Amino acid sequence: MESEGTWQFLNLPWITAIPLRRGHIWAITLGVIQAAQLILMNKASLLMNPWQTLFISSFGLLLLVPFISWRASESYTSIDLAGNVMYAIFGGAALGLQTVALTLMSASHVSAIVSNVPLPTSVLACLILGEPFDLIDGILASVNGVGLVILNLGAEADRSSLLGVIYSFGTLLSACLLVIICRGLAHKNTEDPNLLSFMAGVGGLLISLAALPFGPTWVFPSSSEEILLSLSVAVVGILLFITMTRALHTENALVVTTFVTIAIPLTLFYDIIFNGVTVVWSGVLGSCFIVVTTVLLCIRSASIDRE
């Protein structure tokens, strides 16, 4: 009887109501990778020149040149080409601003601001791209945003600064525009993940080189830790942009950006475990809000065609 009851429980609709579509998997992966990037770049920026860290992250994206579908790009319109150029501009801006912010604040604090994208991006996607955004979506995105704000209240004041917050909000704005551009190209099926990632790398590379005269001298990584960090930053940079374009190819802006907020509790837990950040009620409560709204949106989007 016990065994039979258990199987009945496992067959209940609550489990089958949460089928993860391919876009969901890409979006969750994107959130994990974003957390990894913030943690690695924060650590690398403390050991090396932050602009050198940006250069390494951007240079890795240039390695995607052989994989770009140049034949498909011949059919791109002037609007498509403009979209790729704008992606380079805002991609470089997001990487540059985030790099500076990570030298001023902890990874979890930067993540709490940078990942606060569901509501502003969803509204922009609705107004500019005509993507669905109803009352329930607005409630879920707003509750998610409340969780982000609550979690942000627990950031360590002694490790933050007004300037760091400003840079983080600049990163947030650039990230919102990146999502809109990528999703807009996805509507026309003219987004090439390799080309867009390459363009973001070009933008970051130009910014890092432009900052070269104004910062400390660049030094080639010498210790094994610096070399490993440099390689990790480059690899994670590639994975981040490839994963983002893949996610936005099949899911709309609201779904992808809400799933990406999983990066916030991940970076918070990392700081608590490895950097000695004190556990506070706001961190736990904010993380709960984020996880619950992400699961609810997953259930909702599984029952509605949002592609």
Side-chain angles (χ1 to χ4, degrees):
M1 292 292 291
E2 234 177 351
S3 173
E4 190 175 288
T6 301
W7 283 111
Q8 287 178 353
F9 173 76
L10 292 175
N11 287 325
L12 286 176
W14 73 272
I15 291 181
T16 57
I18 319 178
L20 289 176
R21 302 194 303 208
R22 183 178 59 178
H24 293 169
I25 301 297
W26 282 117
I28 293 172
T29 305
L30 175 60
V32 174
I33 293 174
Q34 179 162 306
Q37 187 201 43
L38 288 166
I39 292 168
L40 288 170
M41 291 192 71
N42 177 247
K43 194 173 181 65
S45 296
L46 298 176
L47 293 176
M48 300 180 289
N49 184 322
W51 297 113
Q52 185 176 351
T53 303
L54 173 60
F55 178 88
I56 294 170
S57 177
S58 303
F59 184 80
L61 295 169
L62 302 187
L63 301 178
L64 295 172
V65 171
F67 305 101
I68 295 175
S69 179
W70 296 110
R71 180 171 297 179
S73 65
E74 294 175 359
S75 62
Y76 291 173
T77 65
S78 56
I79 295 178
D80 298 328
L81 296 176
N84 279 276
V85 173
M86 295 298 289
Y87 197 88
I89 294 172
F90 292 115
L95 286 171
L97 292 168
Q98 177 179 279
T99 299
V100 178
L102 286 167
T103 65
L104 301 169
M105 301 191 298
S106 65
S108 57
H109 195 175
V110 174
S111 178
I113 298 174
V114 170
S115 299
N116 194 4
V117 289
L119 190 56
T121 304
S122 302
V123 172
L124 284 175
C126 179
L127 296 175
I128 299 175
L129 304 177
E131 294 198 339
F133 187 75
D134 57 23
L135 178 60
I136 297 179
D137 292 333
I139 293 173
L140 287 175
S142 298
V143 173
N144 187 275
V146 170
L148 295 168
V149 172
I150 293 174
L151 190 149
N152 197 38
L153 294 176
E156 292 180 273
D158 60 335
R159 297 189 63 188
S160 63
S161 68
L162 177 60
L163 191 58
V165 171
I166 292 173
Y167 281 125
S168 296
F169 273 106
T171 306
L172 170 65
L173 176 60
S174 299
C176 290
L177 294 174
L178 275 181
V179 171
I180 296 301
I181 293 170
C182 185
R183 186 60 184 162
L185 292 174
H187 279 200
K188 303 173 63 180
N189 201 29
T190 56
E191 91 290 12
D192 179 351
N194 298 313
L195 177 57
L196 287 174
S197 301
F198 169 78
M199 295 301 290
V202 170
L205 201 68
L206 293 175
I207 290 176
S208 64
L209 292 175
L212 180 60
F214 307 101
T217 304
W218 290 15
V219 179
F220 190 82
S222 55
S223 68
S224 56
E225 183 181 15
E226 291 178 351
I227 294 173
L228 180 60
L229 265 177
S230 299
L231 292 174
S232 300
V233 165
V235 171
V236 168
I238 295 173
L239 294 176
L240 180 79
F241 283 96
I242 291 291
T243 307
M244 182 171 74
T245 52
R246 293 294 185 186
L248 288 168
H249 180 76
T250 54
E251 298 291 342
N252 70 10
L254 174 62
V255 173
V256 173
T257 54
T258 301
F259 274 59
V260 169
T261 58
I262 200 69
I264 298 175
L266 289 177
T267 52
L268 177 63
F269 294 150
Y270 174 86
D271 276 344
I272 290 173
I273 296 171
F274 296 101
N275 293 332
V277 173
T278 305
V279 179
V280 292
W281 68 268
S282 56
V284 175
L285 182 60
S287 296
C288 289
F289 271 64
I290 292 168
V291 172
V292 169
T293 52
T294 299
V295 172
L296 290 176
L297 185 64
C298 177
I299 296 173
R300 177 169 165 74
S301 62
S303 60
I304 301 174
D305 183 11
R306 289 182 170 278
E307 298 190 17

